[in-house]
Amino acid sequence: MIHIKEVAKQTNITVRTLRYYDQIGLLTATSKTEGGHRLYSDEDMKKLQQIQFLKGMGYRLQDIKDMLLDTKWNWPISLKSQLVYIIEEQERLRSIELSLRELINSIAVEGGDDHLAVQKLIQLSNQNKTRLQTFRENMFNDKELELWTRLPKMRGEDPDSLEWIALLGQIKRHMRDDPASLRVQNIIRRMLEKQMDEFEGEDEFINKLWDIRKSPSQSEKLGLYPIEKEVLDFMERAYEIYITSVHQSSTQQGGIS
């Protein structure tokens, strides 16, 4: 016979948990010491292993109790049912994970303003997904819809999306700077580099997307993350300064003989 404290040591199950199993009739110790401490037989230990095995597959304690007591328990049906439950639970947890990533990324975009990030995500979550898809299909042709899938995502965990999020967050933090400042221009330069990497030769799509971005109503219909007009205006001014600077530099170099 094995003392309850030794069982706890061998199995990494607390004494409190073992006592609880006994109280609910899941695992009753075969015997007790004169002092009232539970003693477990080899059969008890085997049953405990079964309990932990089934618990590891996500079964509730009451289900495990029923399974072990019922000699005619239908294992195939029970296991298939549990598998369906686990798959659904995985999908639910994945949805929660994506929502958490979206909130973390939104807070980064908003420069740490968690209240604003939450409000914007609530706004997005209230949108009709079917209506969003219909509007996109009406707005873009097949090629543009394929390009749409390459856009950075607020729920994204890929390096590309995370860098876009970080760059937008940097723009918002430097809104009080001169758009011609080196710091802002470096951010714009990196944004254009990333745009070229992913959308080289797709100027028509990019221009179309930018025009939509500047329209709050159309942005909302497309399910785009809300960005304030002043931020977009600031980015546009900084972009125009950058393009003018690049053009002037190119012209000057071209004039050197």
Side-chain angles (χ1 to χ4, degrees):
M1 304 295 285
I2 307 175
H3 193 281
I4 187 171
K5 290 185 178 180
E6 182 61 27
V7 173
K9 182 178 179 181
Q10 290 182 16
T11 61
N12 288 323
I13 301 172
T14 65
V15 169
R16 182 178 180 180
T17 297
L18 290 169
R19 288 172 178 163
Y20 179 68
Y21 287 176
D22 199 336
Q23 289 171 9
I24 64 174
L26 179 61
L27 178 65
T28 303
T30 298
S31 182
K32 289 185 179 181
T33 67
E34 292 182 0
H37 296 290
R38 291 170 177 81
L39 296 173
Y40 294 84
S41 65
D42 289 341
E43 285 302 313
D44 293 335
M45 294 297 291
K46 290 179 182 178
K47 187 175 182 180
L48 180 58
Q49 289 178 338
Q50 291 178 317
I51 292 169
Q52 293 307 105
F53 177 73
L54 294 170
K55 187 179 177 184
M57 289 195 291
Y59 281 103
R60 296 177 303 134
L61 294 181
Q62 184 58 52
D63 293 333
I64 296 173
K65 181 180 177 180
D66 294 341
M67 294 165 77
L68 297 180
L69 287 175
D70 189 351
T71 57
K72 296 182 180 180
W73 185 267
N74 193 318
W75 284 87
I77 291 179
S78 175
L79 291 171
K80 289 177 183 177
S81 176
Q82 183 68 2
L83 180 59
V84 170
Y85 165 75
I86 292 300
I87 291 173
E88 291 175 347
E89 187 68 5
Q90 285 177 332
E91 293 174 353
R92 185 183 71 84
L93 292 174
R94 177 58 176 167
S95 177
I96 293 174
E97 176 192 346
L98 292 174
S99 295
L100 288 169
R101 290 187 184 280
E102 188 174 30
L103 180 53
I104 290 170
N105 292 338
S106 299
I107 292 173
V109 165
E110 302 303 337
D113 189 337
D114 52 347
H115 178 73
L116 180 58
V118 168
Q119 291 303 311
K120 287 187 176 183
L121 291 184
I122 290 174
Q123 177 183 336
L124 287 175
S125 67
N126 288 333
Q127 293 175 319
N128 185 294
K129 303 301 180 185
T130 302
R131 190 180 303 163
L132 291 176
Q133 184 62 31
T134 300
F135 187 79
R136 288 173 190 169
E137 291 173 354
N138 291 335
M139 180 66 68
F140 299 111
N141 58 40
D142 290 343
K143 180 183 178 182
E144 291 171 336
L145 287 172
E146 191 280 326
L147 292 172
W148 175 274
T149 64
R150 303 188 205 169
L151 294 173
K153 301 170 180 61
M154 289 302 294
R155 289 188 166 197
E157 53 191 289
D158 58 289
D160 186 60
S161 290
L162 293 177
E163 185 175 1
W164 271 112
I165 288 164
L167 289 169
L168 186 54
Q170 291 173 34
I171 282 289
K172 293 200 72 171
R173 284 196 297 272
H174 296 297
M175 284 283 292
R176 295 184 180 182
D177 293 358
D178 186 334
S181 69
L182 181 61
R183 188 174 295 173
V184 174
Q185 288 296 295
N186 281 338
I187 299 171
I188 294 297
R189 175 185 56 77
R190 181 55 186 155
M191 284 182 164
L192 289 174
E193 287 175 352
K194 291 183 65 59
Q195 178 182 304
M196 286 295 294
D197 288 343
E198 195 63 50
F199 300 101
E200 185 174 6
E202 303 296 346
D203 292 349
E204 184 176 347
F205 172 73
I206 293 299
N207 291 335
K208 183 177 182 179
L209 187 63
W210 182 251
D211 288 339
I212 292 172
R213 251 298 179 200
K214 291 190 293 183
S215 168
S217 61
Q218 287 191 321
S219 290
E220 183 176 358
K221 288 178 181 178
L222 280 171
L224 294 171
Y225 183 82
I227 300 177
E228 294 82 357
K229 182 179 183 301
E230 55 267 28
V231 177
L232 296 174
D233 290 344
F234 181 82
M235 290 175 63
E236 192 163 47
R237 290 198 303 274
Y239 169 79
E240 290 171 352
I241 292 169
Y242 180 84
I243 293 300
T244 300
S245 174
V246 170
H247 178 71
Q248 290 176 346
S249 176
S250 176
T251 302
Q252 291 172 358
Q253 290 179 2
I256 296 176
S257 59

